Amino acid sequence: MYDSPISERQLTQQEIKFSARGVQVYYGDNHAIKGVDVDLEDKTVTAFIGPSGCGKSTFLRCLNRMNDTIDICRVEGTITLDDQDIYDKRVDPVQLRARVGMVFQKPNPFPKSIYDNVAYGPRIHGMARNRDELDSIVEKSLRRAAIWDEVKDRLNAPGTGLSGGQQQRLCIARAVATEPEVLLMDEPCSALDPIATAQVEELIDELRQDYSVVIVTHSMQQAARVSQKTAFFHLGHLVEFGETSQIFTNPEDKRTESYITGRIG
Amino acid sequence: MPLQWLFLIVLAIATLGYVMGRRRALAAAHHDRRRLHSLPSYYGANAGLKAFVPAFLFAVIWLLVQPLVVTNTVSNMLGADVIPDTSSRGLVMSEVRRAADGLDAAVAQGFITKDRARSADADLNEVTESLKSAGQIITSELTRPILNAAQRYRAMTGAGASIMSGLVILIALAGALWGIWQAKAEFRARNVVEQGIRALLIAAASIAILTTLGIVLSLIFNTIEFFRLYPAADFFLGLNWAPSFSGRGGSSDLGVLPLLWGTLYISLVALSVAVPIGLFAAVYLSEYASPRARGIAKPLLEILAGIPTIVYGLFALLTVGPLLMQVFGEDGLGWMQAGTAVMTAGLVMGIMLIPFVSSLSDDIINAVPQAMRDGSYGLGATQSETIRQVVLPAALPGIVGAILLAASRAIGETMIVVLGAGAAARLSLNPFDAMTTVTAKIVSQLTGDADFASPEALVAFALGMTLFVITLALNVFALYVVRKYREQYE
């Protein structure tokens, strides 16, 4: 059924990166997330699936406190990253976001050159001592995002001039340039064509070597292809969480089964 | 027939056409509107538009052409011997026109009978008397040829007005009838009316453009006239502005450079006040302010834009000038001779421009997609890093455009300069010296009692033209900048 059962069994023994307990999220009066408990492992791809409006993107944005930028949003419960509460008053959300990178639904390169797009994070965080180090960080990040060969001759061209798939990989390069520990991806392929999607998926699989990756997706095939763990959200509840192979072949909950077989959604 | 009446009659015909057209269309469909191609009101509007628009256009064209034709004919009637050596045909013609108007007024007030006013051999003295008792001003004694010309002028104008009234009403009636006749069930009234409305919109747009063209042309002819009297090189390169008002010209120095320098210097001061303050205000309003604070602060800021510039001028003259004098004047640092100075006008003009910069920049900053900010926050950037490194660069072309538009307003500003900067044209680097600008000098050159044909008065048009070209270039450049970078973040 799956390609390499042995490696997956090994994966389940990874240490816990993110741990959420009793997370509730409110947008004003709207109760968007209702008591989610979940443990996300290191060096694993975890997929969040579920129908639109089920809260999977909202939960993803809780993990790097992006919801802080929305005035009416309120988060309760605890989320820990390496056993440290990220909603603690002493935690600087800005530094948290440097550790937890994010790739968005629509490619959003800055209106700057390709080089400056990737160098943006390292520059802000003072990661390079000189121009040479910065150059090597940029090259390494672009290589890791599998876009180096396509852009190495035009690093000074604007990032907005690339094609959609290239832009998304540029955004991934931009995110990995700050050396995050976790990479959050909010429907990274929804604006891409199948070929670009395949490239990004391949990339996600490679990123698993070094990072914990959390991906929100509407495509169940994609979740099955790239993830080792899958979480199914429905109406703000985390309905089921487990091995991807198990969720897609032998779900425990009726709702999960209905969603996967296309009866609700 | 007075024009108002004519207008009302045409309007009545159009209204009648509307009602009849609508009714006829409904009758044709046996009072079932589903059988009509268009809604009944479209059939009415078709008839109404056909009655009103052609008649109205015809009247306008007639009113424009008639005076030309009449003047031309009457002018040809006057032989060369009638025109005195000291005068010109134009002056004699204006006398004819005055006499004709006088006759009209005298007839209306009953001092002279209609026949008398019309008869070719009327007694000159008697006519003059009746004109005087009607309170009409006659510059010189009426002569026989002028009286005859005036009578001819009256007759032609009167006849023209009657013919026009008749034709206009006929055209309106014909249009209304045509529209009503068209009102059948299968007639596509909606499409026709849409086309008519489109034509009206095009006409409105072209009137605006034609007016601009007319303004430019009126400037150009007078400017050419000026350069005929005054060498262009002296105007553009002269370092001295000293017009003489003796009326004969010749001894005037009309160099534009001191004025341009004043304009640019004051604008520079104004912009260096307005751009930072306006930009920071815009950043605060669009990025940091809560919706409540924004809702209060933004309209308050925009009130500044609604204050008439003369009020700013008074503020400069009465408040800012004396205030600056206390610090930089005789008692203070001693740099300033009087309250009116480049600094005074520049500061106040800068305050005037703040809402201009802030409001436009605020809109532009708001137009930067939230995805840009999210991308930056997601990489661990703080809010001010995001604004400095992502939002402002993305909004930069728009902000540059806003600044250039503000600059062209600063260059065109007059009242603040007149009251705040003094009237002395001088080339100086000291911002506490009194200086003046192109616009302020245009006002003073045209409000003096110099002969209108002298270079001292005509220079105002050359100045206006120079200013027009500069602001036009700035606006074009602003548009170019905005357009070139507009799609950068799409």
Side-chain angles (χ1 to χ4, degrees):
Chain A
M1 188 61 222
Y2 32 82
D3 302 334
S4 48
I6 299 158
S7 73
E8 277 201 19
R9 223 167 286 136
Q10 281 172 343
L11 277 170
T12 56
Q13 290 161 2
Q14 294 289 351
E15 60 181 290
I16 306 294
K17 199 73 190 165
F18 264 116
S19 176
R21 290 293 174 269
V23 175
Q24 316 269 354
V25 180
Y26 302 88
Y27 286 118
D29 294 334
N30 182 16
H31 195 176
I33 301 274
K34 298 160 186 165
V36 168
D37 300 330
V38 70
D39 288 322
L40 305 176
E41 290 158 5
D42 201 9
K43 302 198 195 312
T44 306
V45 179
T46 307
F48 288 177
I49 59 169
S52 293
C54 67
K56 54 193 188 306
S57 287
T58 302
F59 186 70
L60 189 77
R61 290 167 66 95
C62 288
L63 297 179
N64 68 344
R65 293 187 62 175
M66 278 301 276
N67 285 330
D68 288 16
T69 59
I70 300 168
D71 290 334
I72 56 165
C73 184
R74 197 155 47 86
V75 180
E76 289 170 8
T78 55
I79 301 176
T80 59
L81 172 63
D82 290 341
D83 297 326
Q84 194 190 5
D85 186 357
I86 62 169
Y87 279 89
D88 192 284
K89 279 200 177 63
R90 284 165 299 177
V91 169
D92 180 3
V94 170
Q95 282 184 342
L96 172 71
R97 289 183 204 132
R99 288 175 66 190
V100 184
M102 187 156 193
V103 175
F104 296 85
Q105 185 170 357
K106 232 181 107 190
N108 58 348
F110 302 133
K112 301 171 182 291
S113 71
I114 292 170
Y115 184 93
D116 287 339
N117 259 289
V118 181
Y120 182 83
R123 273 185 184 142
I124 285 179
H125 301 297
M127 290 168 66
R129 268 171 302 184
N130 50 43
R131 178 81 192 191
D132 286 343
E133 272 189 30
L134 193 61
D135 284 347
S136 68
I137 290 177
V138 169
E139 182 180 339
K140 203 175 78 187
S141 310
L142 286 170
R143 276 190 196 284
R144 212 184 262 171
I147 193 181
W148 171 253
D149 290 333
E150 290 159 69
V151 300
K152 64 180 178 209
D153 299 325
R154 45 172 176 154
L155 288 176
N156 289 319
T160 42
L162 298 171
S163 74
Q166 288 174 326
Q167 284 189 13
Q168 193 63 301
R169 278 181 286 151
L170 176 63
C171 291
I172 293 172
R174 192 175 68 181
V176 299
T178 52
E179 304 280 351
E181 299 157 32
V182 184
L183 201 55
L184 308 179
M185 299 180 134
D186 190 354
E187 298 181 42
C189 300
S190 65
L192 304 184
D193 67 51
I195 294 171
T197 302
Q199 288 167 334
V200 171
E201 281 177 8
E202 205 173 313
L203 181 59
I204 292 171
D205 205 49
E206 281 168 27
L207 292 174
R208 176 159 65 92
Q209 312 299 325
D210 304 305
Y211 306 103
S212 166
V213 178
V214 185
I215 176 172
V216 165
T217 178
H218 269 294
S219 155
M220 278 168 287
Q221 289 87 341
Q222 185 173 56
R225 280 194 301 265
V226 301
S227 72
Q228 287 79 51
K229 289 289 187 91
T230 296
F232 171 63
F233 285 78
H234 190 240
L235 299 176
H237 297 283
L238 175 63
V239 174
E240 194 168 346
F241 177 63
E243 298 280 335
T244 300
S245 51
Q246 196 207 331
I247 295 264
F248 279 97
T249 51
N250 189 18
E252 286 171 8
D253 197 285
K254 286 297 267 183
R255 286 171 290 176
T256 314
E257 192 190 347
S258 307
Y259 181 70
I260 286 165
T261 51
R263 262 176 289 160
I264 61 166
Chain B
M1 188 182 308
L3 276 176
Q4 300 92 301
W5 276 106
L6 187 63
F7 183 76
L8 284 181
I9 288 174
V10 171
L11 212 61
I13 293 174
T15 315
L16 198 74
Y18 178 89
V19 175
M20 299 274 286
R22 192 174 183 281
R23 189 171 294 171
R24 196 173 121 89
L26 270 179
H30 307 289
H31 294 278
D32 180 358
R33 63 171 64 203
R34 285 173 302 176
R35 288 190 211 172
L36 289 172
H37 169 271
S38 317
L39 289 173
S41 61
Y42 280 112
Y43 293 92
N46 176 41
L49 281 176
K50 280 193 167 125
F52 186 78
V53 175
F56 183 75
L57 282 183
F58 178 79
V60 168
I61 291 168
W62 184 285
L63 286 175
L64 288 177
V65 172
Q66 178 179 299
L68 296 180
V69 174
V70 171
T71 308
N72 207 14
T73 324
V74 174
S75 174
N76 287 341
M77 235 176 79
L78 296 168
D81 52 319
V82 181
I83 296 155
D85 295 336
T86 55
S87 185
S88 71
R89 188 167 283 271
L91 285 178
V92 175
M93 270 313 293
S94 62
E95 206 164 312
V96 167
R97 234 171 281 136
R98 255 200 307 278
D101 288 346
L103 280 173
D104 280 341
V107 169
Q109 291 172 31
F111 288 104
I112 188 168
T113 60
K114 273 188 187 174
D115 297 334
R116 266 246 120 76
R118 230 177 265 152
S119 71
D121 50 347
D123 184 29
L124 274 179
N125 293 330
E126 194 195 328
V127 172
T128 313
E129 269 316 300
S130 17
L131 283 186
K132 277 187 180 151
S133 41
Q136 295 298 316
I137 305 141
I138 308 167
T139 42
S140 54
E141 288 298 303
L142 267 182
T143 57
R144 174 72 52 194
I146 289 185
L147 179 63
N148 287 349
Q151 284 168 337
R152 181 69 206 258
Y153 187 90
R154 274 195 75 215
M156 282 186 71
T157 311
S162 324
I163 295 172
M164 182 193 76
S165 304
L167 282 177
V168 164
I169 291 175
L170 269 181
I171 291 172
L173 280 175
L177 282 177
W178 184 28
I180 295 168
W181 174 79
Q182 278 181 320
K184 292 171 194 145
E186 67 275 17
F187 176 62
R188 300 184 177 183
R190 187 160 69 148
N191 309 24
V192 173
V193 171
E194 292 288 305
Q195 274 180 353
I197 287 172
R198 204 178 84 169
L200 279 180
L201 296 180
I202 290 173
S206 17
I207 283 176
I209 293 167
L210 287 177
T211 313
T212 316
L213 217 68
I215 290 173
V216 173
L217 282 180
S218 74
L219 276 180
I220 282 180
F221 285 122
N222 284 306
T223 307
I224 292 171
E225 185 63 31
F226 168 73
F227 284 129
R228 218 173 269 156
L229 297 170
Y230 194 87
D234 289 359
F235 174 73
F236 285 116
L237 302 174
L239 294 178
N240 199 12
W241 174 268
S244 83
F245 275 100
S246 62
R248 286 287 146 251
S251 59
S252 296
D253 278 337
L254 299 174
V256 76
L257 285 181
L259 303 183
L260 276 183
W261 170 243
T263 304
L264 293 181
Y265 204 176
I266 292 176
S267 305
L268 203 75
V269 173
L271 285 179
S272 52
V273 171
V275 170
I277 297 180
L279 210 55
F280 290 165
V283 167
Y284 171 72
L285 283 180
S286 59
E287 296 289 325
Y288 289 97
S290 67
R292 228 177 93 82
R294 185 184 150 88
I296 297 170
K298 205 176 178 199
L300 278 182
L301 239 166
E302 279 165 2
I303 285 180
L304 271 182
I307 298 175
T309 56
I310 185 78
V311 177
Y312 281 109
L314 290 176
F315 179 60
L317 187 68
L318 301 176
T319 313
V320 177
L323 225 97
L324 286 175
M325 270 302 273
Q326 279 179 7
V327 182
F328 300 103
E330 311 268 90
D331 306 336
L333 294 167
W335 297 342
M336 209 169 171
Q337 307 302 320
T340 50
V342 168
M343 214 45 171
T344 317
L347 284 179
V348 174
M349 203 190 278
I351 294 168
M352 179 196 83
L353 292 177
I354 288 172
F356 211 63
V357 176
S358 77
S359 194
L360 278 173
S361 309
D362 179 51
D363 292 344
I364 291 156
I365 290 173
N366 267 331
V368 174
Q370 183 62 30
M372 291 290 131
R373 298 186 183 97
D374 282 349
S376 176
Y377 293 142
L379 291 170
T382 61
Q383 193 164 12
S384 80
E385 282 165 347
T386 303
I387 292 167
R388 250 183 303 131
Q389 306 202 15
V390 174
V391 176
L392 285 185
L396 192 66
I399 291 172
V400 170
I403 291 171
L404 288 176
L405 286 180
S408 63
R409 269 208 66 177
I411 289 171
E413 179 48 45
T414 314
M415 280 339 286
I416 295 176
V417 177
V418 170
L419 292 178
R426 91 166 48 124
L427 276 168
S428 157
L429 278 174
N430 182 0
F432 297 102
D433 269 344
M435 274 186 215
T436 194
T437 65
V438 176
T439 49
K441 276 302 152 198
I442 292 178
V443 176
S444 63
Q445 290 313 104
L446 283 181
T447 46
D449 36 0
D451 180 8
F452 197 74
S454 72
E456 282 78 18
L458 283 172
V459 71
F461 296 101
L463 290 176
M465 198 68 202
T466 316
L467 207 59
F468 177 77
V469 170
I470 291 174
T471 45
L472 185 76
L474 261 182
N475 281 343
V476 168
F477 184 63
L479 277 179
Y480 168 77
V481 169
V482 171
R483 212 168 275 170
K484 180 164 181 200
Y485 298 103
R486 179 185 286 158
E487 295 161 342
Q488 223 178 13
Y489 48 71
E490 268 312 306

